[in-house]
Amino acid sequence: MDSAASDTRTPLRASADNGLKIVVVGGFGVGKTTMVRSVSEIRPLNTEETMTQAGESVDDISEVRGKTATTVAFDFGRISLDARNVLYLFGAPGQERFWFLWDRLFSGTLGAVVLLDARRIEDSWYAIDRLERHGTPFIVACNDFGGPRHDVTDVREALDLDPRVPIVECDARQRESAKQVLITLVQHIQQQLGNRAEPIATPLRETV
């Protein structure tokens, strides 16, 4: 997927003193790097490398034949919420051989987005299991790959998902769509914390 993000670098305000961390997780090739790129206010740091023929024996690329690069550590982006609060976005690598990094990425995380390709629902099971084990609030975002729409109820049943966990549809290439995913996550976190995170929502809606 092509990124819609600008390469403009926005300096971090000197007054910013509160960093909030969100992680985007999911299976291999579901659009995590694309989502971070599309919504970040800075040119994101990424650790993508060109996929080689040798890697085909390690990573299952049968469902992502058009993919030419892959994340080998994590993606990083930033959104300034207001003068003092900054949201940091981390995109986790999807390949099984990099799953050992996830527990470290989850440390100190406010919440997570599980990005889903509805054609490969089983690729998201590990991400959901790890988040539930960590007690990290999360939502599920079904990325649009141009195919037929999947009923949200069917997706929830296939994931055996708690009815309180929101499921949304999105296009990770579009900034506005990615923004709505983050807003839904923050609203969900507010509900989980009894609205103690109330100050986050309005700046996010206005600045992303």
Side-chain angles (χ1 to χ4, degrees), residues 123-150:
D123 290 353
S124 299
W125 289 342
Y126 181 79
I128 291 173
D129 177 71
R130 296 313 302 170
L131 290 167
E132 289 178 341
R133 287 177 180 269
H134 278 263
T136 303
F138 68 93
I139 68 169
V140 173
C142 299
N143 197 10
D144 180 11
F145 283 87
R149 297 279 183 172
H150 291 77

Side-chain angles (χ1 to χ4, degrees), residues 13-206:
R13 297 175 183 177
S15 59
D17 59 7
N18 188 25
L20 308 169
K21 180 179 176 183
I22 284 178
V23 176
V24 182
V25 295
F28 181 44
V30 296
K32 299 179 296 296
T33 297
T34 300
M35 174 169 282
V36 173
R37 285 178 177 174
S38 69
V39 78
S40 176
E41 69 184 14
I42 62 172
R43 185 171 65 193
L45 166 70
N46 66 69
T47 54
E48 283 202 318
E49 296 292 342
T50 301
M51 294 178 65
T52 63
Q53 188 173 8
E56 293 184 16
S57 62
V58 181
D59 301 317
D60 181 6
I61 66 169
S62 60
E63 300 292 338
V64 288
R65 287 295 180 183
K67 190 171 175 61
T68 60
T70 183
T71 301
V72 296
F74 60 84
D75 305 300
F76 173 76
R78 190 190 78 207
I79 302 169
S80 294
L81 302 179
D82 54 31
R84 308 198 70 86
N85 297 290
V86 179
L87 182 67
Y88 296 115
L89 299 175
F90 290 83
Q95 305 98 306
E96 183 175 352
R97 58 195 166 107
F98 294 120
W99 284 353
F100 71 93
L101 294 171
W102 287 20
D103 287 345
R104 290 186 178 272
L105 282 176
F106 291 164
S107 178
T109 297
L110 181 70
V113 174
V114 178
L115 197 59
L116 171 75
D117 179 349
R119 302 168 300 179
R120 297 181 286 130
I121 288 178
E122 66 278 3
D123 290 353
S124 299
W125 289 342
Y126 181 79
I128 291 173
D129 177 71
R130 296 313 302 170
L131 290 167
E132 289 178 341
R133 287 177 180 269
H134 278 263
T136 303
F138 68 93
I139 68 169
V140 173
C142 299
N143 197 10
D144 180 11
F145 283 87
R149 297 279 183 172
H150 291 77
D151 185 86
V152 170
T153 301
D154 293 339
V155 172
R156 185 178 298 279
E157 290 180 356
L159 293 173
D160 191 23
L161 206 60
D162 188 302
R164 294 168 295 184
V165 176
I167 300 179
V168 297
E169 294 182 338
C170 73
D171 185 335
R173 299 167 296 184
Q174 302 300 321
R175 181 178 177 84
E176 183 64 27
S177 183
K179 179 181 79 171
Q180 291 302 319
V181 170
L182 296 180
I183 289 172
T184 300
L185 174 60
V186 170
Q187 291 173 339
H188 177 57
I189 294 169
Q190 288 178 340
Q191 294 175 356
Q192 294 284 92
L193 300 180
N195 288 328
R196 283 179 290 174
E198 186 72 34
I200 299 174
T202 301
L204 180 62
R205 190 178 298 276
E206 293 174 350

